[in-house]
């Protein structure tokens, strides 16, 4: 398992470096264009939606993990059981740094005294249960893996699943932009729907746990019987 994880590491660190560079570009762009002082521009939009965009990127990393990466690993003699556990290690190695990046970007507006704090707090995950974001990172990686495995069996169904997942993420990102512009988050939290809204993350977490368990079960069964293509 250690050798397999080490093999997958050669794909892990460039992918993670790309996320770090993207985050750095967004932060520098925000400061260079006056976003902390209240300017509204593309960098501010990227900053407010960064947690979802990070999940969007991880989905494609998961897709590659169970397609090209897995075919290469198994072709070089990796055992299927070892690959499954090595894949779990790589998912954690993706989720932990992405959580740290999200936490740092979440704290930056408050530490730096940015204006329009309501614009940033909700978008960066304030109010979510502790640990939910890294769990979402792992869940998105699993969904990407499942999409890749479906694609290997049927291009048609794999394409349908991938397009559906991408469209869902695009809709979520678009919703973030709209909420940031019209200030709807503050109304939902402090208005008449606040009771339902505060319970919603816990309800969604329960659904996500079920999807996680089912996804891991499918991955275990599929990887054990996978044939290199």
């Amino acid at each position: 398992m250690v050798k397999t994880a080490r093999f997958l590491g050669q794909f892990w660190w460039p992918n993670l470096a790309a996320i770090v560079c993207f985050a750095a570009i967004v932060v520098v762009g925000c400061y260079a264009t006056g976003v902390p002082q209240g300017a509204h521009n593309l960098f501010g939009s990227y900053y407010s939606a960064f947690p979802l965009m990070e999940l969007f990127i991880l989905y494609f990393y998961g897709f590659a993990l169970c397609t090209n990466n897995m075919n290469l690993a198994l072709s070089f003699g990796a055992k299927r059981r070892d690959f499954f556990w090595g894949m779990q290690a790589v998912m954690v190695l993706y989720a932990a740094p992405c959580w740290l990046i999200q936490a740092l970007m979440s704290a930056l507006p408050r530490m730096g005294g940015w204006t329009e704090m309501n614009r940033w707090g909700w978008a960066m995950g304030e109010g979510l249960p502790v640990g939910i974001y890294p769990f979402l990172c792992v869940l998105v990686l699993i969904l990407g893996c499942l999409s890749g495995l479906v694609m290997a069996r049927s291009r048609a169904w794999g394409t349908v699943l991938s397009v559906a997942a991408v469209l869902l993420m695009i809709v979520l990102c678009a919703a973030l932009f709209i909420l940031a512009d019209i200030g709807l988050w503050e109304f939902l939290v402090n208005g008449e729907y606040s009771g339902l809204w505060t319970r919603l993350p816990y309800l969604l977490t329960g659904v996500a746990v079920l999807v996680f368990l089912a996804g891991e079960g499918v991955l275990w069964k599929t990887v054990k019987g996978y044939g290199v293509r």
Side-chain angles (χ1 to χ4, degrees):
M1 191 272 281
V2 175
K3 290 183 179 179
T4 303
R6 190 176 301 166
F7 175 82
L8 294 175
Q10 65 183 315
F11 307 104
W12 164 78
W13 75 262
N15 290 340
L16 183 61
I19 294 178
V20 173
C21 290
F22 179 43
I25 291 172
V26 171
V27 172
V28 171
C30 284
Y31 276 100
T33 57
V35 171
Q37 289 75 41
H40 290 254
N41 55 40
L42 184 63
F43 286 106
S45 297
Y46 278 136
Y47 196 98
S48 64
F50 191 86
L52 278 183
M53 297 183 70
E54 199 170 43
L55 295 177
F56 187 90
I57 295 170
L58 288 177
Y59 171 82
F60 289 103
Y61 288 172
F63 188 95
L65 186 60
C66 282
T67 50
N68 297 336
N69 298 167
M70 182 163 67
N71 282 322
L72 281 173
L74 297 182
S75 296
F76 282 110
K79 297 180 180 179
R80 284 154 180 78
R81 181 187 299 270
D82 289 343
F83 180 83
F84 176 82
W85 291 113
M87 181 173 60
Q88 303 302 306
V90 168
M91 287 182 183
V92 173
L93 290 175
Y94 273 129
C98 286
W99 185 18
L100 178 60
I101 293 171
Q102 184 267 339
L104 291 174
M105 294 186 71
S106 176
L108 183 59
R110 193 172 303 280
M111 293 173 57
W114 291 21
T115 60
E116 302 180 5
M117 289 304 302
N118 289 335
R119 178 184 175 192
W120 311 111
W122 66 270
M124 302 310 296
E126 288 188 2
L128 290 177
V130 176
I132 189 64
Y133 189 77
F135 173 72
L136 289 176
C137 290
V138 173
L139 184 62
V140 167
L141 285 164
I142 290 174
L143 293 176
C145 286
L146 293 174
S147 297
L149 292 174
V150 172
M151 181 71 76
R153 290 176 174 268
S154 170
R155 287 191 176 273
W157 284 111
T159 301
V160 169
L161 182 59
S162 299
V163 170
V166 170
L167 288 176
L168 176 61
M169 293 181 189
I170 291 175
V171 169
L172 290 175
C173 286
L176 277 179
F177 295 148
I178 294 172
L179 288 170
D181 288 337
I182 67 178
L184 185 57
W185 173 262
E186 185 177 1
F187 170 74
L188 289 172
V189 172
N190 300 319
E192 59 182 303
Y193 299 107
S194 58
L196 172 62
W197 193 256
T198 54
R199 289 193 296 270
L200 185 58
Y202 297 95
L203 296 175
L204 293 178
T205 299
V207 174
V209 168
L210 294 178
V211 174
F212 168 80
L213 294 175
E216 285 283 60
V218 172
L219 284 179
W220 170 256
K221 182 177 180 180
T222 305
V223 170
K224 283 185 64 178
Y226 187 80
V228 178
R229 299 175 184 275

